[in-house]
Structures are given as structure tokens and as C-alpha cells.
Amino acid sequence: MRIAVVGGTGMIGSAVVEEALRRGHEVTSVSRSRPEAVLDGVVVVQADASDPTVVEALLRDHDALVAAAVPDRAPDSDHRPYARLIENLAAHTGSTYVLIVGGFGSLLRPDGTQQRFRPGGSVEKYRREAQTVAEGLEFLQSERHPARWTYLCPPFMIRPGSRSGAYKLGTDHPVGDEISTQDFAVAVLDELERPAHLRTRFTVAN
Ligand SMILES: NC(=O)c1ccc[n+]([C@@H]2O[C@H](COP(=O)([O-])OP(=O)(O)OC[C@H]3O[C@@H](n4cnc5c(N)ncnc54)[C@H](OP(=O)(O)O)[C@@H]3O)[C@@H](O)[C@H]2O)c1
């Protein structure tokens, strides 16, 4: 497959790029700043994915697109570019499968409220980010968008670790507390290769 990873230089996106390469896919990594080092075989595109013409070209040229971008983490930053990215992805009418990396905060507690609303559920530093990312899912779920999308939430903790190749699967509720970025990437590629969660949210954990 031809796979574009928006945020391919980030913590999660870079693991997705590596896993896709490992499986023999053609990979395009997209970020606004130029990466310091580029893995062999990766096509680097330096572009702002909140620009609709950038998204349009990526969707036209790839079989799958992974959105692992993040709202600007600076205090009081403008999150509208991130929201525009999600809207532009949702509006596309082609056959490209779009996987959006979401957040733990939108996963549900047993009472149906979101994890980010429980005490300690959304660390202060990430509260605005969790809200904006959760709004992306609400937008996707709110109407019948034409795009072939899916939305994958990490558990509370995701960080680089080791690749076991295994993970637990769930839908709206957490199935564990943590996952390595490598195993998260395994789940991303499994979904792109054999779509099982079209137009739904799902989650994974080690
Ligand atoms: N437990 C959790 O729920 C959890 C934990 C971590 C992350 N996440 C979520 O996972 C996603 C990815 O997070 P991360 O930690 O991997 O982020 P990260 O390490 O900060 O990486 C973000 C990537 O996106 C790129 N990017 C940002 N805006 C862009 C734009 N407009 N156009 C093109 N590229 C853009 C960045 O590169 P440039 O800055 O050079 O453009 C970078 O490559 C986010 O939605 C985050 O909220 C969830």
C-alpha cells in the first residue's frame, strides 16, 4: 500500500512509519519541519496538513492516511488548524482509508462519561489537547461524512518501549492502562491492511 503518515516525525507517527516500512509498504512522512534523519525508503513531504490542498493531494496519491498530528501544545494556542485537518479528512470522497489517532480522554467510563472528566483523567497540561482531539471524534460521529475513516484511541499511557506484536482490542472503553508506540503501530497497520473498524472508534492496549 501507499501510506501517508501526517505527523510521521512525532512520537506515535514515527513508530507508524517504521512499522509500515517493516511490512514493505510505500511510506510518505508529512510534517511542517524537516526531519533531522530520514529512514531509507521514506518519502518526506514538508507541508502543513491543515491546508486543504495538501490533504487533497495526499488523499489522491495514497491508499491510506494516518493522522498522527497534534493540536499546538503551546498555552492559549490556536487549535483551529487541527480541527480543519479533521474536517478536511472527513469531507473527502475517495477510497483512501483514513485512520485518525485520537486520545484516551474520549474513551468512556462505565457510567458513559468520558475518561477526561474523571478526577486525574486528563492531566492539566494536556486538558485542552484532550478536548480538541475528543471534539474531532464527535465531529466524525455527528454526521454521515463520506470519508472512509476510523479513529484509534491509545490507552492512558503510550510511550516508546518494545514491540511484542500483540495487543488487546476494545471499542469505547479502555482495555488496559498502557501500550508501547511500537505495538500501537502494529495495531494501526493491522487495521489499514484489514479494515475492521470502518466509521467507528476503537482502542488498544498491551
Ligand atoms: N494517551 C493519550 O491519549 C495520548 C498520548 C499521546 C498522544 N496522543 C495523541 O496522539 C496524537 C499524536 O501525538 P504525539 O504525541 O505523537 O505528537 P508529537 O510527538 O508532538 O508529534 C506530532 C507530529 O505532528 C506533526 N504536525 C503537527 N501539526 C502538523 C500539521 N499541521 N501539518 C503537518 N504535520 C503536523 C509534527 O511535526 P511538525 O511540528 O514539524 O509539523 C509531528 O511530526 C495526538 O492527537 C495526541 O493528542 C494521545
Side-chain angles (χ1 to χ4, degrees):
M1 294 169 80
R2 294 164 304 163
I3 301 174
V5 184
V6 175
T9 58
M11 178 182 75
I12 294 175
S14 60
V16 174
V17 166
E18 278 191 42
E19 182 65 23
L21 278 182
R22 180 189 177 111
R23 297 188 188 202
H25 298 294
E26 291 176 30
V27 187
T28 304
S29 171
V30 187
S31 54
R32 293 163 301 178
S33 42
R34 190 141 191 100
E36 284 163 22
V38 180
L39 292 173
D40 274 356
V42 175
V43 173
V44 170
V45 171
Q46 192 178 357
D48 186 339
S50 61
D51 176 345
T53 62
V54 169
V55 167
E56 201 179 304
L58 291 171
L59 290 167
R60 192 180 53 236
D61 296 342
H62 295 85
D63 305 303
L65 183 150
V66 177
V70 69
D72 188 336
R73 285 177 170 142
D76 302 323
S77 58
D78 185 2
H79 283 190
R80 282 174 299 181
Y82 178 86
R84 271 203 301 278
L85 168 61
I86 303 299
E87 287 164 17
N88 292 333
L89 289 172
H92 97 88
T93 54
S95 59
T96 307
Y97 194 29
V98 174
L99 185 150
I100 293 157
V101 176
F104 164 80
S106 68
L107 289 169
L108 303 181
R109 304 158 78 188
D111 67 4
T113 57
Q114 293 186 356
Q115 292 288 342
R116 66 196 169 107
F117 296 125
R118 75 169 162 78
S122 193
V123 185
E124 178 63 32
K125 190 175 156 201
Y126 296 118
R127 191 154 296 158
R128 277 188 72 224
E129 173 178 334
Q131 161 134 357
T132 302
V133 172
E135 283 168 1
L137 175 62
E138 283 157 22
F139 176 77
L140 288 162
Q141 290 175 328
S142 64
E143 295 168 43
R144 285 193 59 80
H145 298 289
R148 299 181 73 234
W149 63 267
T150 187
Y151 189 98
L152 177 54
C153 291
F156 181 75
M157 181 60 76
I158 176 166
R159 56 187 163 190
S162 58
R163 182 187 185 283
S164 73
Y167 54 85
K168 287 179 276 186
L169 262 175
T171 51
D172 288 329
H173 299 269
V175 287
D177 293 331
E178 59 183 299
I179 196 164
S180 69
T181 51
Q182 290 90 337
D183 282 337
F184 188 82
V186 169
V188 169
L189 266 294
D190 285 352
E191 176 66 23
L192 297 185
E193 291 175 350
R194 288 177 301 280
H197 299 92
L198 185 60
R199 294 198 180 89
T200 58
R201 175 259 293 281
F202 69 112
T203 187
V204 290
N206 279 136

Short mmCIF file of all heavy atoms in Angstrom, two decimals, residues 5-14 29-35 45 47-51 54 67-73 81-82 85 100-106 126 129-130 133 151-158 181 184, ligand 1:
data_model
loop_
_atom_site.label_atom_id
_atom_site.label_comp_id
_atom_site.label_asym_id
_atom_site.label_seq_id
_atom_site.Cartn_x
_atom_site.Cartn_y
_atom_site.Cartn_z
N VAL A 5 1.71 9.30 6.40
CA VAL A 5 1.61 9.48 7.85
C VAL A 5 1.79 10.97 8.15
O VAL A 5 2.90 11.50 8.05
CB VAL A 5 2.66 8.65 8.60
CG1 VAL A 5 2.46 8.79 10.11
CG2 VAL A 5 2.59 7.17 8.19
N VAL A 6 0.68 11.62 8.47
CA VAL A 6 0.76 13.03 8.85
C VAL A 6 1.23 13.06 10.30
O VAL A 6 0.57 12.49 11.18
CB VAL A 6 -0.61 13.72 8.69
CG1 VAL A 6 -0.54 15.16 9.20
CG2 VAL A 6 -1.05 13.70 7.23
N GLY A 7 2.36 13.72 10.54
CA GLY A 7 2.98 13.65 11.86
C GLY A 7 3.96 12.50 11.93
O GLY A 7 4.21 11.95 13.00
N GLY A 8 4.52 12.15 10.79
CA GLY A 8 5.43 11.00 10.70
C GLY A 8 6.73 11.18 11.47
O GLY A 8 7.48 10.22 11.63
N THR A 9 6.99 12.41 11.94
CA THR A 9 8.21 12.63 12.75
C THR A 9 7.90 12.63 14.24
O THR A 9 8.79 12.80 15.05
CB THR A 9 8.86 13.99 12.38
OG1 THR A 9 7.88 15.03 12.60
CG2 THR A 9 9.31 14.02 10.94
N GLY A 10 6.63 12.48 14.60
CA GLY A 10 6.23 12.57 16.00
C GLY A 10 6.42 11.27 16.76
O GLY A 10 6.85 10.25 16.20
N MET A 11 6.06 11.28 18.03
CA MET A 11 6.26 10.10 18.88
C MET A 11 5.48 8.90 18.31
O MET A 11 6.03 7.81 18.14
CB MET A 11 5.78 10.38 20.31
CG MET A 11 5.93 9.18 21.21
SD MET A 11 5.34 9.42 22.89
CE MET A 11 3.56 9.37 22.67
N ILE A 12 4.20 9.09 18.03
CA ILE A 12 3.39 7.98 17.54
C ILE A 12 3.60 7.78 16.04
O ILE A 12 3.78 6.66 15.55
CB ILE A 12 1.90 8.22 17.87
CG1 ILE A 12 1.71 8.18 19.40
CG2 ILE A 12 1.01 7.19 17.18
CD1 ILE A 12 0.31 8.52 19.89
N GLY A 13 3.59 8.89 15.29
CA GLY A 13 3.72 8.80 13.83
C GLY A 13 5.01 8.12 13.39
O GLY A 13 5.01 7.34 12.43
N SER A 14 6.11 8.38 14.11
CA SER A 14 7.39 7.78 13.68
C SER A 14 7.35 6.25 13.86
O SER A 14 7.94 5.51 13.08
CB SER A 14 8.57 8.40 14.41
OG SER A 14 8.44 8.21 15.80
N SER A 29 6.08 10.49 4.82
CA SER A 29 6.00 11.12 6.14
C SER A 29 5.80 12.62 5.95
O SER A 29 6.57 13.27 5.24
CB SER A 29 7.31 10.85 6.91
OG SER A 29 7.34 11.62 8.09
N VAL A 30 4.77 13.15 6.62
CA VAL A 30 4.42 14.57 6.43
C VAL A 30 4.60 15.31 7.75
O VAL A 30 4.09 14.88 8.79
CB VAL A 30 2.95 14.71 5.97
CG1 VAL A 30 2.63 16.17 5.61
CG2 VAL A 30 2.66 13.78 4.81
N SER A 31 5.31 16.43 7.70
CA SER A 31 5.43 17.31 8.87
C SER A 31 5.80 18.70 8.38
O SER A 31 6.27 18.86 7.25
CB SER A 31 6.49 16.79 9.84
OG SER A 31 7.72 16.62 9.18
N ARG A 32 5.57 19.69 9.25
CA ARG A 32 5.87 21.06 8.83
C ARG A 32 7.37 21.31 8.86
O ARG A 32 7.90 22.03 8.02
CB ARG A 32 5.14 22.06 9.73
CG ARG A 32 3.63 22.01 9.55
CD ARG A 32 2.93 22.68 10.69
NE ARG A 32 3.29 22.03 11.95
CZ ARG A 32 2.86 22.41 13.14
NH1 ARG A 32 2.07 23.45 13.25
NH2 ARG A 32 3.23 21.77 14.23
N SER A 33 8.05 20.71 9.84
CA SER A 33 9.50 20.90 9.87
C SER A 33 10.19 19.69 9.25
O SER A 33 9.66 18.57 9.31
CB SER A 33 10.00 21.13 11.29
OG SER A 33 9.34 20.27 12.17
N ARG A 34 11.35 19.95 8.69
CA ARG A 34 12.07 18.87 8.02
C ARG A 34 12.72 17.97 9.07
O ARG A 34 13.37 18.46 9.99
CB ARG A 34 13.13 19.50 7.10
CG ARG A 34 13.77 18.52 6.20
CD ARG A 34 14.04 19.01 4.79
NE ARG A 34 14.42 17.81 4.02
CZ ARG A 34 13.59 17.18 3.23
NH1 ARG A 34 12.37 17.62 3.05
NH2 ARG A 34 13.98 16.08 2.59
N PRO A 35 12.54 16.65 8.97
CA PRO A 35 13.16 15.76 9.96
C PRO A 35 14.68 15.80 9.88
O PRO A 35 15.24 16.00 8.80
CB PRO A 35 12.64 14.38 9.57
CG PRO A 35 12.05 14.50 8.23
CD PRO A 35 11.76 15.94 7.96
N VAL A 45 7.58 14.71 3.00
CA VAL A 45 6.87 15.89 2.49
C VAL A 45 6.83 16.91 3.61
O VAL A 45 6.35 16.62 4.71
CB VAL A 45 5.43 15.51 2.05
CG1 VAL A 45 4.61 16.77 1.74
CG2 VAL A 45 5.47 14.59 0.84
N ALA A 47 5.11 19.96 4.78
CA ALA A 47 3.88 20.70 4.45
C ALA A 47 3.00 20.82 5.67
O ALA A 47 3.12 20.03 6.62
CB ALA A 47 3.13 19.97 3.34
N ASP A 48 2.11 21.80 5.64
CA ASP A 48 1.14 21.99 6.71
C ASP A 48 -0.16 21.29 6.31
O ASP A 48 -0.85 21.71 5.38
CB ASP A 48 0.90 23.48 6.93
CG ASP A 48 0.01 23.74 8.14
OD1 ASP A 48 -0.73 22.81 8.56
OD2 ASP A 48 0.05 24.86 8.66
N ALA A 49 -0.49 20.22 7.02
CA ALA A 49 -1.65 19.41 6.65
C ALA A 49 -2.98 20.09 6.99
O ALA A 49 -4.04 19.54 6.66
CB ALA A 49 -1.57 18.04 7.31
N SER A 50 -2.94 21.23 7.65
CA SER A 50 -4.21 21.94 7.84
C SER A 50 -4.60 22.70 6.57
O SER A 50 -5.69 23.24 6.48
CB SER A 50 -4.14 22.89 9.04
OG SER A 50 -3.15 23.86 8.84
N ASP A 51 -3.72 22.70 5.58
CA ASP A 51 -4.01 23.29 4.28
C ASP A 51 -4.80 22.26 3.45
O ASP A 51 -4.28 21.17 3.18
CB ASP A 51 -2.68 23.66 3.60
CG ASP A 51 -2.86 24.19 2.19
OD1 ASP A 51 -3.95 24.02 1.60
OD2 ASP A 51 -1.88 24.75 1.67
N VAL A 54 -3.10 20.42 0.58
CA VAL A 54 -2.11 19.41 0.97
C VAL A 54 -2.83 18.08 1.23
O VAL A 54 -2.44 17.02 0.73
CB VAL A 54 -1.34 19.87 2.23
CG1 VAL A 54 -0.51 18.74 2.81
CG2 VAL A 54 -0.47 21.08 1.90
N ALA A 67 -3.46 10.03 10.47
CA ALA A 67 -3.33 11.39 11.01
C ALA A 67 -2.84 11.27 12.44
O ALA A 67 -3.59 10.94 13.35
CB ALA A 67 -4.66 12.13 10.94
N ALA A 68 -1.54 11.53 12.63
CA ALA A 68 -0.94 11.49 13.98
C ALA A 68 -0.38 12.87 14.30
O ALA A 68 0.64 13.00 14.96
CB ALA A 68 0.14 10.42 14.05
N ALA A 69 -1.07 13.89 13.80
CA ALA A 69 -0.71 15.27 14.12
C ALA A 69 -1.31 15.60 15.48
O ALA A 69 -2.08 14.81 16.05
CB ALA A 69 -1.25 16.22 13.07
N VAL A 70 -0.97 16.74 16.01
CA VAL A 70 -1.42 17.10 17.35
C VAL A 70 -1.81 18.58 17.34
O VAL A 70 -1.21 19.36 16.61
CB VAL A 70 -0.27 16.78 18.35
CG1 VAL A 70 0.89 17.72 18.19
CG2 VAL A 70 -0.75 16.74 19.77
N PRO A 71 -2.83 18.96 18.10
CA PRO A 71 -3.10 20.41 18.22
C PRO A 71 -1.88 21.08 18.85
O PRO A 71 -1.19 20.46 19.67
CB PRO A 71 -4.31 20.47 19.16
CG PRO A 71 -4.87 19.10 19.23
CD PRO A 71 -3.75 18.15 18.92
N ASP A 72 -1.64 22.31 18.48
CA ASP A 72 -0.49 23.05 19.02
C ASP A 72 -0.52 23.02 20.55
O ASP A 72 -1.51 23.43 21.16
CB ASP A 72 -0.56 24.50 18.49
CG ASP A 72 0.70 25.28 18.83
OD1 ASP A 72 1.39 24.91 19.81
OD2 ASP A 72 0.99 26.26 18.12
N ARG A 73 0.55 22.51 21.18
CA ARG A 73 0.55 22.30 22.63
C ARG A 73 0.91 23.56 23.43
O ARG A 73 0.88 23.52 24.66
CB ARG A 73 1.51 21.16 23.00
CG ARG A 73 0.92 19.80 22.64
CD ARG A 73 1.88 18.67 22.94
NE ARG A 73 1.22 17.38 22.81
CZ ARG A 73 1.78 16.30 22.30
NH1 ARG A 73 3.00 16.34 21.87
NH2 ARG A 73 1.11 15.16 22.24
N PRO A 81 -6.46 25.02 13.33
CA PRO A 81 -5.83 24.27 12.23
C PRO A 81 -6.00 22.76 12.39
O PRO A 81 -6.23 22.04 11.41
CB PRO A 81 -4.35 24.69 12.34
CG PRO A 81 -4.39 26.04 12.95
CD PRO A 81 -5.54 25.99 13.92
N TYR A 82 -5.90 22.26 13.63
CA TYR A 82 -6.10 20.82 13.86
C TYR A 82 -7.54 20.43 13.51
O TYR A 82 -7.78 19.43 12.83
CB TYR A 82 -5.79 20.45 15.32
CG TYR A 82 -6.03 18.98 15.60
CD1 TYR A 82 -5.03 18.03 15.36
CD2 TYR A 82 -7.27 18.54 16.08
CE1 TYR A 82 -5.27 16.68 15.59
CE2 TYR A 82 -7.50 17.19 16.31
CZ TYR A 82 -6.50 16.27 16.07
OH TYR A 82 -6.74 14.93 16.29
N LEU A 85 -8.00 20.18 9.86
CA LEU A 85 -7.42 18.94 9.31
C LEU A 85 -8.44 17.81 9.41
O LEU A 85 -8.69 17.08 8.44
CB LEU A 85 -6.12 18.59 10.07
CG LEU A 85 -5.55 17.19 9.84
CD1 LEU A 85 -5.18 16.97 8.37
CD2 LEU A 85 -4.32 16.96 10.71
N ILE A 100 -7.40 8.11 12.14
CA ILE A 100 -7.05 9.26 12.97
C ILE A 100 -6.63 8.75 14.36
O ILE A 100 -7.36 7.96 14.98
CB ILE A 100 -8.23 10.23 13.06
CG1 ILE A 100 -8.47 10.84 11.68
CG2 ILE A 100 -7.98 11.33 14.10
CD1 ILE A 100 -9.84 11.34 11.44
N VAL A 101 -5.46 9.19 14.80
CA VAL A 101 -5.01 8.84 16.14
C VAL A 101 -5.68 9.79 17.13
O VAL A 101 -5.53 11.01 17.04
CB VAL A 101 -3.47 8.95 16.26
CG1 VAL A 101 -3.03 8.68 17.70
CG2 VAL A 101 -2.79 7.98 15.29
N GLY A 102 -6.46 9.21 18.03
CA GLY A 102 -7.20 10.03 18.98
C GLY A 102 -6.54 10.03 20.33
O GLY A 102 -5.31 9.88 20.44
N GLY A 103 -7.36 10.19 21.38
CA GLY A 103 -6.81 10.26 22.73
C GLY A 103 -7.61 9.41 23.71
O GLY A 103 -8.78 9.10 23.47
N PHE A 104 -6.94 9.09 24.80
CA PHE A 104 -7.57 8.33 25.89
C PHE A 104 -8.79 9.08 26.45
O PHE A 104 -9.78 8.47 26.86
CB PHE A 104 -6.51 8.13 26.98
CG PHE A 104 -7.05 7.71 28.31
CD1 PHE A 104 -7.38 6.39 28.54
CD2 PHE A 104 -7.22 8.64 29.34
CE1 PHE A 104 -7.87 5.99 29.78
CE2 PHE A 104 -7.70 8.25 30.58
CZ PHE A 104 -8.03 6.92 30.80
N GLY A 105 -8.70 10.41 26.44
CA GLY A 105 -9.73 11.23 27.10
C GLY A 105 -11.15 11.00 26.59
O GLY A 105 -12.11 11.18 27.34
N SER A 106 -11.28 10.60 25.33
CA SER A 106 -12.64 10.41 24.78
C SER A 106 -13.18 9.00 25.04
O SER A 106 -14.35 8.73 24.77
CB SER A 106 -12.67 10.70 23.28
OG SER A 106 -11.93 9.72 22.58
N TYR A 126 -2.43 18.59 29.44
CA TYR A 126 -2.99 18.07 28.19
C TYR A 126 -4.50 18.29 28.07
O TYR A 126 -5.14 17.75 27.18
CB TYR A 126 -2.68 16.57 28.05
CG TYR A 126 -1.20 16.28 27.94
CD1 TYR A 126 -0.53 15.53 28.89
CD2 TYR A 126 -0.47 16.79 26.87
CE1 TYR A 126 0.82 15.29 28.78
CE2 TYR A 126 0.90 16.54 26.75
CZ TYR A 126 1.54 15.80 27.72
OH TYR A 126 2.88 15.55 27.60
N GLU A 129 -5.71 19.92 24.79
CA GLU A 129 -5.44 18.97 23.70
C GLU A 129 -6.46 17.84 23.71
O GLU A 129 -7.03 17.48 22.66
CB GLU A 129 -4.01 18.42 23.86
CG GLU A 129 -3.68 17.30 22.88
CD GLU A 129 -2.24 16.82 23.04
OE1 GLU A 129 -1.39 17.62 23.50
OE2 GLU A 129 -1.96 15.66 22.71
N ALA A 130 -6.72 17.29 24.90
CA ALA A 130 -7.66 16.18 25.02
C ALA A 130 -9.05 16.61 24.54
O ALA A 130 -9.76 15.85 23.87
CB ALA A 130 -7.72 15.69 26.46
N VAL A 133 -9.01 17.04 20.63
CA VAL A 133 -8.92 15.73 19.96
C VAL A 133 -10.26 14.99 20.10
O VAL A 133 -10.76 14.38 19.15
CB VAL A 133 -7.72 14.92 20.52
CG1 VAL A 133 -7.72 13.50 19.99
CG2 VAL A 133 -6.41 15.62 20.16
N TYR A 151 -10.97 5.68 13.93
CA TYR A 151 -10.40 6.55 14.95
C TYR A 151 -9.86 5.65 16.06
O TYR A 151 -10.63 4.91 16.68
CB TYR A 151 -11.53 7.45 15.46
CG TYR A 151 -11.15 8.57 16.37
CD1 TYR A 151 -10.98 9.87 15.88
CD2 TYR A 151 -10.98 8.36 17.73
CE1 TYR A 151 -10.66 10.92 16.73
CE2 TYR A 151 -10.66 9.40 18.58
CZ TYR A 151 -10.50 10.68 18.07
OH TYR A 151 -10.20 11.72 18.90
N LEU A 152 -8.55 5.69 16.27
CA LEU A 152 -7.92 4.76 17.21
C LEU A 152 -7.39 5.51 18.44
O LEU A 152 -6.53 6.39 18.31
CB LEU A 152 -6.77 4.01 16.51
CG LEU A 152 -5.94 3.05 17.36
CD1 LEU A 152 -6.80 2.04 18.09
CD2 LEU A 152 -4.90 2.35 16.49
N CYS A 153 -7.93 5.15 19.60
CA CYS A 153 -7.52 5.81 20.85
C CYS A 153 -6.45 5.00 21.57
O CYS A 153 -6.65 3.81 21.85
CB CYS A 153 -8.72 5.94 21.79
SG CYS A 153 -9.95 7.10 21.21
N PRO A 154 -5.36 5.65 21.95
CA PRO A 154 -4.40 4.98 22.83
C PRO A 154 -4.98 4.86 24.22
O PRO A 154 -5.92 5.57 24.57
CB PRO A 154 -3.19 5.95 22.86
CG PRO A 154 -3.48 7.04 21.90
CD PRO A 154 -4.95 7.04 21.63
N PRO A 155 -4.39 3.99 25.06
CA PRO A 155 -4.77 3.99 26.48
C PRO A 155 -4.16 5.21 27.17
O PRO A 155 -3.53 6.05 26.51
CB PRO A 155 -4.16 2.68 26.99
CG PRO A 155 -3.02 2.41 26.08
CD PRO A 155 -3.36 3.01 24.75
N PHE A 156 -4.32 5.28 28.50
CA PHE A 156 -3.84 6.44 29.25
C PHE A 156 -2.36 6.72 28.95
O PHE A 156 -1.97 7.86 28.73
CB PHE A 156 -4.02 6.17 30.76
CG PHE A 156 -3.57 7.30 31.63
CD1 PHE A 156 -4.34 8.45 31.73
CD2 PHE A 156 -2.38 7.22 32.34
CE1 PHE A 156 -3.92 9.51 32.52
CE2 PHE A 156 -1.97 8.27 33.14
CZ PHE A 156 -2.74 9.42 33.23
N MET A 157 -1.54 5.68 28.92
CA MET A 157 -0.10 5.87 28.72
C MET A 157 0.35 5.22 27.43
O MET A 157 0.09 4.04 27.20
CB MET A 157 0.67 5.23 29.90
CG MET A 157 2.17 5.39 29.82
SD MET A 157 2.71 7.10 29.79
CE MET A 157 2.49 7.55 31.51
N ILE A 158 1.00 6.01 26.58
CA ILE A 158 1.64 5.47 25.38
C ILE A 158 3.02 6.08 25.30
O ILE A 158 3.17 7.29 25.43
CB ILE A 158 0.80 5.73 24.11
CG1 ILE A 158 1.55 5.22 22.86
CG2 ILE A 158 0.37 7.18 23.96
CD1 ILE A 158 0.69 5.13 21.60
N THR A 181 4.56 2.54 21.79
CA THR A 181 4.25 3.12 20.47
C THR A 181 4.42 2.06 19.39
O THR A 181 3.70 2.07 18.39
CB THR A 181 5.18 4.32 20.18
OG1 THR A 181 6.54 3.92 20.40
CG2 THR A 181 4.85 5.51 21.05
N PHE A 184 1.31 -0.06 19.35
CA PHE A 184 0.23 0.77 18.82
C PHE A 184 0.33 0.81 17.29
O PHE A 184 -0.67 0.68 16.58
CB PHE A 184 0.33 2.19 19.42
CG PHE A 184 -0.83 3.08 19.09
CD1 PHE A 184 -2.01 3.01 19.83
CD2 PHE A 184 -0.76 3.99 18.05
CE1 PHE A 184 -3.09 3.84 19.53
CE2 PHE A 184 -1.83 4.82 17.74
CZ PHE A 184 -3.00 4.74 18.48
N1 LIG B 1 -2.68 8.76 25.98
C1 LIG B 1 -3.17 9.52 25.00
O1 LIG B 1 -4.37 9.69 24.85
C2 LIG B 1 -2.22 10.17 24.03
C3 LIG B 1 -0.86 10.27 24.34
C4 LIG B 1 -0.03 10.87 23.40
C5 LIG B 1 -0.56 11.39 22.20
N2 LIG B 1 -1.88 11.28 21.96
C6 LIG B 1 -2.46 11.82 20.72
O2 LIG B 1 -1.80 11.23 19.62
C7 LIG B 1 -1.63 12.18 18.57
C8 LIG B 1 -0.13 12.28 18.23
O3 LIG B 1 0.57 12.69 19.40
P1 LIG B 1 2.17 12.62 19.53
O4 LIG B 1 2.48 12.67 20.98
O5 LIG B 1 2.73 11.52 18.69
O6 LIG B 1 2.56 14.02 18.89
P2 LIG B 1 4.01 14.62 18.60
O7 LIG B 1 5.09 13.72 19.07
O8 LIG B 1 4.01 16.03 19.11
O9 LIG B 1 4.05 14.66 17.02
C9 LIG B 1 3.17 15.45 16.28
C10 LIG B 1 3.55 15.33 14.82
O10 LIG B 1 2.61 16.02 14.01
C11 LIG B 1 3.29 16.93 13.16
N3 LIG B 1 2.35 18.01 12.88
C12 LIG B 1 1.66 18.76 13.79
N4 LIG B 1 0.86 19.63 13.16
C13 LIG B 1 1.01 19.41 11.83
C14 LIG B 1 0.45 19.98 10.67
N5 LIG B 1 -0.44 20.99 10.73
N6 LIG B 1 0.84 19.52 9.46
C15 LIG B 1 1.75 18.52 9.37
N7 LIG B 1 2.31 17.92 10.43
C16 LIG B 1 1.95 18.37 11.65
C17 LIG B 1 4.55 17.30 13.94
O11 LIG B 1 5.60 17.81 13.15
P3 LIG B 1 5.77 19.40 12.88
O12 LIG B 1 5.56 20.08 14.20
O13 LIG B 1 7.13 19.53 12.29
O14 LIG B 1 4.70 19.75 11.90
C18 LIG B 1 4.92 15.91 14.48
O15 LIG B 1 5.51 15.14 13.45
C19 LIG B 1 -2.24 13.48 19.10
O16 LIG B 1 -3.57 13.60 18.65
C20 LIG B 1 -2.22 13.31 20.61
O17 LIG B 1 -3.22 14.05 21.25
C21 LIG B 1 -2.73 10.68 22.84
#
